[in-house]
């Protein structure tokens, strides 16, 4: 093996090829794939993210539309747009860009997205379907983590897996999908008493907290697979800004069997999983599910 880094960009490129083939197969049956993203309030960062997302979609053959609503839009207005997209047969996928302006309740709005068109897998109904083993659309970051782990060839069935961070968007769904893979899962959170005692047992360690340097070499078992979900902007001693994860990658690398880099690990795979889910939504719409 050349090195221990798990190449998320390479894996994402393979996923994009698979999605492209799936979209062509649907097109051959006369069916299109159309994702509408809703952006409430226009910021340069939000616009740039949406623009990149649009390019990623179009590169695999997904028609992408961005609906931008004014920053002072109220809950009823945004809900109304979601409902009209739910009922529009030409729209096969819907996503809502976060963060939203403060007057809006994101969970309530995510709840209103038709579960089959919910390409981010954020509707609580979709989490529920995962729990009951009838997955429609799973959350993108959690799917990305599972694909990255599987790419190492490790057997998840029976493996000791430890997840650090318990948010609704990352940690909890990751723990859920690892459980579905029959790993023995420990979910660590802010109230965990001795974090290192748990993480040191992990054959597979997933960290999704948002605190740079939280996981040091002391936290890691020899030969562990380490997946770093964290994305943190930090300033180096020389004043330059860079993006790092939650794992002290330099210190952990010698102990780990495989480890994801930041950037270039979970990030590109999460984008690829959004494309995969968008294809899946369009496929599901043509079935009785
Ligand atoms: P979040 O909503 O802030 O959740 C962080 C979780 O970690 C919370 O459950 C928090 O608990 C817990 N936590 C805080 N300090 C902890 C500690 N010392 N030990 C154990 N748990 C602790 O953040 P998120 O949305 O899950 O995102 C986490 C990180 O992943 C961020 O850096 C984010 O940018 C990144 N992320 C990356 C991707 C990707 O595609 N690569 C996708 C999603 C998120 P409390 O809430 O109780 O403090």
């Amino acid at each position: 093996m050349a090195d221990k880094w798990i190449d998320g960009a390479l894996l994402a490129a393979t996923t994009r090829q698979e999605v492209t083939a799936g979209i062509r197969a649907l097109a051959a049956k006369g069916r299109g794939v159309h994702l509408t993203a809703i952006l409430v309030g226009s910021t340069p960062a939000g616009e740039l993210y949406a623009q990149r997302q649009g390019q990623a979609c179009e590169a695999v053959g997904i028609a992408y539309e961005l609906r931008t609503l004014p920053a002072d839009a109220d809950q009823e207005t945004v809900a109304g747009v979601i409902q009209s997209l739910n009922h529009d047969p030409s729209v096969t996928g819907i996503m809502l860009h976060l963060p939203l302006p403060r007057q809006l309740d994101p969970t309530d709005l995510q709840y209103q997205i038709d579960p089959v068109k919910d390409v981010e897998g954020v509707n609580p109904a979709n989490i529920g379907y995962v729990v009951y083993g009838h997955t429609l659309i799973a959350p993108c970051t959690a799917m990305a983590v599972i694909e990255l782990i599987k790419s190492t060839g490790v057997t998840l069935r029976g493996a000791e897996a430890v997840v650090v961070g318990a948010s609704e968007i990352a940690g909890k769904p990751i723990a859920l999908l690892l459980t579905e893979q029959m790993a023995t899962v420990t979910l660590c959170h802010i109230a965990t008493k001795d974090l290192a005692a748990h993480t040191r047992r992990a054959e597979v360690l997933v960290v999704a907290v948002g605190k740079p340097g939280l996981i040091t070499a002391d936290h890691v078992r020899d030969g562990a697979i380490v997946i770093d979900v964290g994305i943190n902007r930090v300033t180096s001693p020389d004043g330059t800004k860079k993006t790092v994860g939650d794992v002290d990658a330099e210190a952990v690398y010698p102990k780990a069997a495989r480890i994801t880099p930041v950037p270039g690990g979970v990030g590109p795979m999460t984008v690829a999983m959004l494309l995969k889910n968008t294809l899946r939504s369009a496929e599901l719409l043509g079935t009785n599910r």
Side-chain angles (χ1 to χ4, degrees):
M1 189 194 310
D3 62 41
K4 299 179 181 181
W5 297 114
I6 304 172
D7 190 340
L10 187 66
L11 207 54
T14 306
T15 304
R16 285 196 298 273
Q17 283 174 2
E18 291 163 5
V19 172
T20 304
I23 285 168
R24 286 198 184 129
L26 275 186
K29 295 179 199 160
R31 286 163 52 194
V33 183
H34 178 144
L35 172 62
T36 299
I38 302 167
L39 178 66
V40 186
S42 176
T43 62
E47 294 276 356
L48 181 65
Y49 183 77
Q51 186 192 347
R52 288 194 179 150
Q53 189 179 59
Q55 288 164 350
C57 284
E58 276 153 21
V60 296
I62 296 169
Y64 181 84
E65 180 195 355
L66 182 66
R67 287 274 180 97
T68 306
L69 303 178
D72 61 358
D74 60 18
Q75 192 80 7
E76 290 68 33
T77 304
V78 185
V81 171
I82 292 172
Q83 289 303 336
S84 74
L85 295 171
N86 284 344
H87 293 107
D88 182 342
S90 72
V91 174
T92 59
I94 303 167
M95 64 153 291
L96 183 63
H97 282 288
L98 299 185
L100 292 169
R102 297 178 69 157
Q103 76 274 14
L104 299 173
D105 175 350
T107 312
D108 176 70
L109 291 169
Q110 287 169 336
Y111 220 137
Q112 307 216 25
I113 299 173
D114 179 336
V116 178
K117 294 188 180 185
D118 170 30
V119 296
E120 290 188 296
V122 290
N123 185 320
N126 272 323
I127 308 286
Y129 285 128
V130 175
V131 171
Y132 284 95
H134 304 295
T135 304
L136 281 180
I137 306 282
C140 299
T141 303
M143 284 173 66
V145 167
I146 298 295
E147 293 294 322
L148 288 159
I149 296 168
K150 283 186 172 173
S151 78
T152 69
V154 75
T155 303
L156 271 171
R157 189 181 177 83
E160 287 287 336
V162 175
V163 181
V164 186
S167 72
E168 282 72 31
I169 193 170
K172 284 179 190 165
I174 292 166
L176 195 54
L177 292 199
L178 284 167
T179 306
E180 202 190 24
Q181 296 293 321
M182 301 300 283
T184 301
V185 182
T186 303
L187 180 58
C188 297
H189 43 68
I190 195 70
T192 298
K193 284 185 182 140
D194 184 353
L195 182 63
H198 294 284
T199 57
R200 274 200 290 265
R201 288 193 295 101
E203 295 170 273
V204 174
L205 175 61
V206 184
V207 190
V209 171
K211 288 191 178 162
L214 177 70
I215 300 299
T216 67
D218 279 349
H219 290 82
V220 177
R221 168 176 172 160
D222 278 320
I225 307 283
V226 180
I227 308 292
D228 191 354
V229 182
I231 301 176
N232 308 289
R233 288 292 283 168
V234 296
T235 307
S236 306
D238 66 3
T240 55
K241 286 197 179 293
K242 62 175 181 173
T243 301
V244 300
D246 294 341
V247 177
D248 180 349
E250 202 178 314
V252 168
Y253 184 92
K255 282 184 103 175
R258 302 294 305 276
I259 178 169
T260 54
V262 178
V266 178
M269 269 307 274
T270 298
V271 178
M273 290 302 112
L274 179 80
L275 303 175
K276 190 172 177 170
N277 276 350
T278 303
L279 169 62
R280 180 159 166 79
S281 286
E283 288 171 342
L284 284 167
L285 283 165
T287 67
N288 293 326
R289 324 188 256 286

